[in-house]
Amino acid sequence: MTDAHFFNDEPFLNHEEGPDLLGHGQYAQHVLSLLDRVRAQTETGVLALIGSWGSGKSSVLGKVIRRLQEAENGEGWLIAELNPWLYSDLESLTQALFSEIREALPRDERWSEARLKIGGFGRAISPLGKATAVFGLDSEGLIQEVSSRISGDTSASAAKRKAEEALRKAGRPVLVIMDDLDRLTPEELLVVFKLVRLVGHLPGVYYLISFDERTLLDVLQRSELVGNSEPRAREFLEKIVQVRLDLPAFRERDADLLVDRSLSAVLASHSLALTPDEQQRISEAYYRHLQDRLRTPRAIKRFFGQVDATLGQLTGNVDIVDFLLVTFLRTSEPRAYQLLWQHRAELTGTSVDLPSRRDERPEQRIDRWRTRLRDAGVAEQHLDSVIGLMGMLFAPLRQALGYGANTQAIALRRGVGSIDYFDRYMVFGVPDDDLPERTFDTALQQLTDGTPGTEADELLLRLRDDTQRITRRIQYKRVAGTPLPVAALLKAAARQYGHLTATPQGVFGLFTADRAMDFLARDLLTDLAEPERPAILKAMAQSPDGAVLAARTLQRVTARQDSDGPDDTQAAATPGWIGEARSLISHEIAQHLSVSRPIHELTDLEITLIWAWRHAEPAAARAWISQRLDQEWALLDLLAVLIPPDRAPFPIIDNDTLQSLDALIGLEALYSRLGPLLDTPAADPDNSQDEHRARILEALRGHRGNTPSNGNG
């Protein structure tokens, strides 16, 4: 079934073709047979189709009506449908009833008398003013009607006898169908019953009414006629209804089949198909948490109607199973759904836990969510299923439930539990600050093919302005095994490296944009064959910012390789590509620093390049620095620009900084050049610059003699 109509309150899946999953077609045939039996035994009667809200009463009525209309052969049933919701008093409802009956009668000569007498009876028992509304009289017609009533026989009894005679003579039964009587007010309901049982008690006219019995009895008990007594309400109802038609129970099997058919319809309408993993996950969710809540045709239709209505542009941009579960929460537990946004950071694992929660046990987290859900109006019997659904969506809750959770798997499937995709589920689309999957994939293909395009331009722009999210999404593609334009991405990363504008993320804002780019470049470089790496690193280093990234990337890749094997084999096992790459990057850095200038005129980028040089060829960096120290630079001034003045809470020169200085300058040469300053007692500084230099000297005094030198002089 691919043509389900979800966006109305019409009978659900009211189609004759295909399997009758609800059994409504079979039951409709039973109703038709019973109607003929009732007609054979009595001139008039009231039948009631009884079932709970959403159980499919309207679907059965729809099938009854259609089959009666299709079977019409000149002697069969005539259909009149009356919506009592539209009328609030007996007079207007009476007029409507006789108007509908009259309209149901054929318009040929044989029926002219019956049509005339039914209209006459309706006018006789209705106020003149109401008649104008039903019969459409204009001012001239109204004058004629007044004259007719004055001069003619218009008594109600006489008019009714004439109508009865005409209906008996016509010889065809009329079935008046009224649905959803349980939605009327007590007063309106009594009006309908008075009409059906007394005023509309005509030969050949039968009534098929429909309601939810529990609700209807509650309505009757609020009326003055019945009072607050269920036995009296039931007795009154039994006087009105001669034949009960209890809708067959909607079995668990029926619900399961209807859910499966509805899901297939939604998937087909959006050109989707479930993978085996998705089938397993939706099956788990349904049988564990959804089955008890999708127990009526209306509930099933409402749920899948919402899925169909809101999936839209999210097709291919979200995980379909997650979307189904989030939609269920939104439609069935809307206040619980609002909690998702309220606790977005906690659910996606991106929040900084309060000190009171850092040692929280799993059962405490679950209890906290139970309290939240109760406050949001979730019924006690539904708490476990709602928490279970949320556990399928969000890693922190799944871990608390004891199932374990793979946060990377959530991100790989574009799940709501990933901070990179959460917003899509909340705004029913891809936000403006996000990049749709199709655009993302097209951009990667353009980069692979080397063909320019707006999608590739957009991706590179987002790489600069939304670095952490874009680098994560590229990493998801890597893990999923998607072929990537590695060389193109590395070159693009190098071009953007000095222009990143994304704000820091993570705990205390420590995950910066350049750090995200560092990790991506490291992983992408390892995806290249080793012989290809030097040329790519050289291309990256063409710009000063790119040279910084290239040097850092090489250092991270080689550090990872060095940590993979026994220490005593590393020197002999160092791949040849590393030496070539170091030489190429070092050459580019030297070119970027070729312009000689005083130390105080060095830019921040040039200072960063000097630091980065130690990752490429520290010997070349030492030679370059030594030459400038011999010519024009003062070592203490160089240290003052290389070492930031504010490193609190860390020492101004810690062991890592000392090792870096050893690589760039050589500790023996450093102590030798600074010897007189280190041996001279520190004087009181005159300004902040002097204070910074004094602190550097004091730190070096503390390290001198304690730190082994590498022998570089």
Side-chain angles (χ1 to χ4, degrees):
M1 181 204 69
T2 60
D3 59 346
H5 301 288
F6 294 109
F7 307 138
N8 55 55
D9 200 32
E10 298 303 315
F12 185 39
L13 302 177
N14 192 18
H15 302 278
E16 291 299 332
E17 68 277 6
D20 182 20
L21 295 181
L22 303 182
H24 289 169
Q26 180 180 354
Y27 196 72
Q29 191 59 47
H30 167 68
V31 173
L32 294 176
S33 299
L34 189 58
L35 282 172
D36 289 336
R37 292 172 59 193
V38 170
R39 177 190 176 191
Q41 297 180 26
T42 179
E43 279 193 325
T44 184
V46 179
L47 297 85
L49 182 62
I50 300 172
S52 60
W53 280 355
S55 60
K57 299 186 298 297
S58 297
S59 178
V60 172
L61 291 179
K63 290 180 181 294
V64 168
I65 292 171
R66 185 170 57 249
R67 293 187 183 185
L68 288 176
Q69 291 171 337
E70 292 172 351
E72 186 172 338
N73 55 13
E75 298 298 330
W77 290 84
L78 301 171
I79 305 299
E81 294 184 71
L82 181 63
N83 186 349
W85 292 16
L86 301 177
Y87 312 98
S88 60
D89 56 77
L90 179 60
E91 290 82 5
S92 57
L93 186 59
T94 299
Q95 295 167 39
L97 171 65
F98 291 111
S99 177
E100 293 293 343
I101 293 175
R102 191 183 64 169
E103 290 302 313
L105 301 180
R107 296 183 178 275
D108 56 38
E109 182 65 26
R110 171 187 169 186
W111 290 90
S112 59
E113 181 181 2
R115 290 174 56 82
L116 179 64
K117 300 306 181 184
I118 286 292
F121 181 37
R123 288 193 299 272
I125 62 175
S126 302
L128 187 60
K130 297 288 181 65
T132 62
V134 175
F135 297 108
L137 301 178
D138 55 20
S139 58
E140 181 179 354
L142 179 59
I143 295 174
Q144 294 176 352
E145 177 65 20
V146 172
S147 301
S148 174
R149 288 203 179 196
I150 293 174
S151 61
D153 181 0
T154 58
S155 72
S157 298
K160 184 176 183 181
R161 286 194 301 271
K162 293 177 181 179
E164 291 173 342
E165 292 172 0
L167 286 170
R168 288 192 181 97
K169 183 178 179 181
R172 288 186 65 180
V174 178
L175 182 64
V176 180
I177 294 179
M178 290 187 279
D179 196 6
D180 293 328
L181 296 191
D182 47 67
R183 301 187 185 187
L184 300 173
T185 66
E187 294 74 17
E188 292 168 344
L189 185 59
L190 292 178
V191 165
V192 170
F193 283 155
K194 182 177 180 181
L195 175 66
V196 168
R197 192 64 178 142
L198 300 175
V199 180
H201 194 78
L202 297 168
V205 177
Y206 301 80
Y207 296 87
L208 178 56
I209 61 178
S210 171
F211 53 81
D212 168 51
E213 186 172 32
R214 179 69 268 163
T215 305
L216 188 113
L217 290 174
D218 290 342
V219 173
L220 282 175
Q221 289 177 78
R222 298 200 306 270
S223 68
E224 294 182 0
L225 178 64
V226 172
N228 189 22
S229 171
E230 182 173 333
R232 290 193 62 187
R234 194 173 294 279
E235 289 174 5
F236 178 82
L237 185 59
E238 290 173 354
K239 292 180 180 180
I240 302 298
V241 176
Q242 285 78 58
V243 181
R244 289 176 60 101
L245 294 165
D246 290 278
L247 198 65
F250 189 53
R251 299 174 300 166
E252 182 177 299
R253 169 188 173 277
D254 300 330
D256 293 347
L257 289 172
L258 187 55
V259 166
D260 184 68
R261 188 180 182 191
S262 301
L263 176 60
S264 297
V266 171
L267 294 175
S269 67
H270 294 275
S271 302
L272 291 173
L274 295 181
T275 66
D277 176 68
E278 290 169 339
Q279 290 175 347
Q280 189 276 329
R281 287 173 50 228
I282 191 59
S283 178
E284 176 187 354
Y286 178 71
Y287 287 109
R288 283 190 177 185
H289 309 301
L290 302 181
Q291 189 178 38
D292 291 341
R293 305 290 296 274
L294 298 175
R295 291 290 82 192
T296 68
R298 178 171 292 158
I300 295 170
K301 177 180 180 181
R302 180 170 178 263
F303 168 51
F304 285 102
Q306 286 297 310
V307 172
D308 199 29
T310 53
L311 186 53
Q313 63 168 305
L314 286 176
T315 302
N317 290 299
V318 294
D319 176 77
I320 184 60
V321 177
D322 279 24
F323 184 77
L324 287 165
L325 303 190
V326 170
T327 301
F328 178 82
L329 289 175
R330 180 170 57 84
T331 54
S332 300
E333 300 288 356
R335 291 176 60 194
Y337 167 78
Q338 293 170 4
L339 291 177
L340 304 187
W341 182 263
Q342 184 178 345
H343 299 281
R344 172 178 183 263
E346 177 184 341
L347 291 170
T348 56
T350 56
S351 63
V352 179
D353 285 338
L354 298 173
S356 60
R357 294 182 184 171
R358 288 174 186 164
D359 298 324
E360 186 178 53
R361 297 190 304 275
E363 59 269 24
Q364 290 176 309
R365 170 166 286 184
I366 296 301
D367 287 343
R368 181 154 45 84
W369 271 98
R370 283 182 177 276
T371 300
R372 288 172 177 169
L373 292 170
R374 284 192 190 97
D375 293 342
V378 177
E380 194 69 27
Q381 68 267 28
H382 298 322
L383 279 176
D384 287 341
S385 65
V386 172
I387 289 177
L389 281 178
M390 293 177 64
M392 295 189 69
L393 298 171
F394 302 105
L397 275 178
R398 189 167 183 83
Q399 290 171 336
L401 289 169
Y403 295 116
N406 186 339
T407 54
Q408 187 178 65
I410 293 175
L412 288 175
R413 70 171 189 251
R414 298 188 289 275
V416 66
S418 167
I419 192 62
D420 294 318
Y421 302 105
F422 179 91
D423 290 358
R424 298 181 179 184
Y425 293 81
M426 300 294 115
V427 301
F428 313 119
V430 179
D432 292 341
D433 61 346
D434 196 357
L435 204 59
E437 295 303 309
R438 178 172 295 181
T439 302
F440 196 88
D441 292 340
T442 301
L444 292 178
Q445 189 61 52
Q446 290 172 350
L447 291 174
T448 300
D449 299 339
T451 56
T454 56
E455 290 84 0
D457 293 341
E458 181 69 14
L459 175 61
L460 298 182
L461 182 64
R462 298 296 179 94
L463 187 62
R464 182 194 71 189
D465 299 335
D466 194 11
T467 310
Q468 292 92 329
R469 175 159 51 180
I470 295 299
T471 55
R472 284 194 299 266
R473 290 180 63 181
I474 294 173
Q475 293 282 24
Y476 302 153
K477 297 287 186 182
R478 287 186 66 250
V479 174
T482 303
L484 292 173
V486 173
L489 286 173
L490 284 169
K491 293 175 184 177
R495 290 193 299 271
Q496 300 284 14
Y497 195 63
H499 310 285
L500 305 179
T501 62
T503 57
Q505 297 177 357
V507 179
F508 307 118
L510 296 180
F511 193 59
T512 58
D514 58 345
R515 190 171 180 82
M517 197 77 90
D518 290 346
F519 290 140
L520 176 65
R522 177 199 66 189
D523 293 339
L524 288 175
L525 188 67
T526 61
D527 292 340
L528 284 175
E530 290 184 354
E532 299 176 15
R533 296 176 186 177
I536 292 299
L537 289 169
K538 174 180 172 59
M540 292 170 62
Q542 295 297 308
S543 66
D545 290 308
V548 172
L549 178 60
R552 290 176 176 175
T553 301
L554 177 62
Q555 187 272 335
R556 283 188 166 86
V557 171
T558 54
R560 174 184 287 182
Q561 288 186 342
D562 290 344
S563 65
D564 288 342
D567 292 341
D568 58 355
T569 65
Q570 290 307 303
T574 300
W577 74 268
I578 294 179
E580 181 184 356
R582 285 172 174 164
S583 177
L584 292 173
I585 295 173
S586 177
H587 175 76
E588 295 301 324
I589 292 177
Q591 293 298 312
H592 298 317
L593 293 172
S594 61
V595 177
S596 179
R597 66 183 73 196
I599 289 177
H600 69 274
E601 293 182 4
L602 288 174
T603 65
D604 290 341
L605 179 55
E606 289 171 328
I607 294 170
T608 302
L609 273 171
I610 293 173
W611 278 120
W613 206 345
R614 76 188 190 279
H615 296 317
E617 273 193 323
R622 283 194 300 272
W624 183 86
I625 291 174
S626 179
Q627 181 182 21
R628 276 154 181 75
L629 290 175
D630 290 340
Q631 295 176 351
E632 54 181 315
W633 285 4
L635 179 54
L636 185 57
D637 291 341
L638 177 61
L639 295 177
V641 299
L642 289 177
I643 301 172
D646 184 12
R647 285 176 49 84
F650 305 104
I652 190 168
I653 298 179
D654 56 16
N655 287 331
D656 289 340
T657 305
L658 198 68
Q659 290 179 10
S660 296
L661 291 175
D662 188 23
L664 282 177
I665 301 170
L667 292 184
E668 184 177 336
L670 185 148
Y671 291 134
S672 175
R673 289 179 182 273
L674 292 178
L677 294 175
L678 294 174
D679 296 335
T680 302
D684 292 334
D686 295 332
N687 52 51
S688 59
Q689 292 182 350
D690 291 342
E691 181 180 2
H692 180 45
R693 288 170 170 77
R695 291 177 62 208
I696 291 174
L697 290 173
E698 184 62 27
L700 290 173
R701 290 188 188 101
H703 285 290
R704 186 171 59 170
N706 297 327
T707 304
S709 171
N710 66 2
N712 296 314

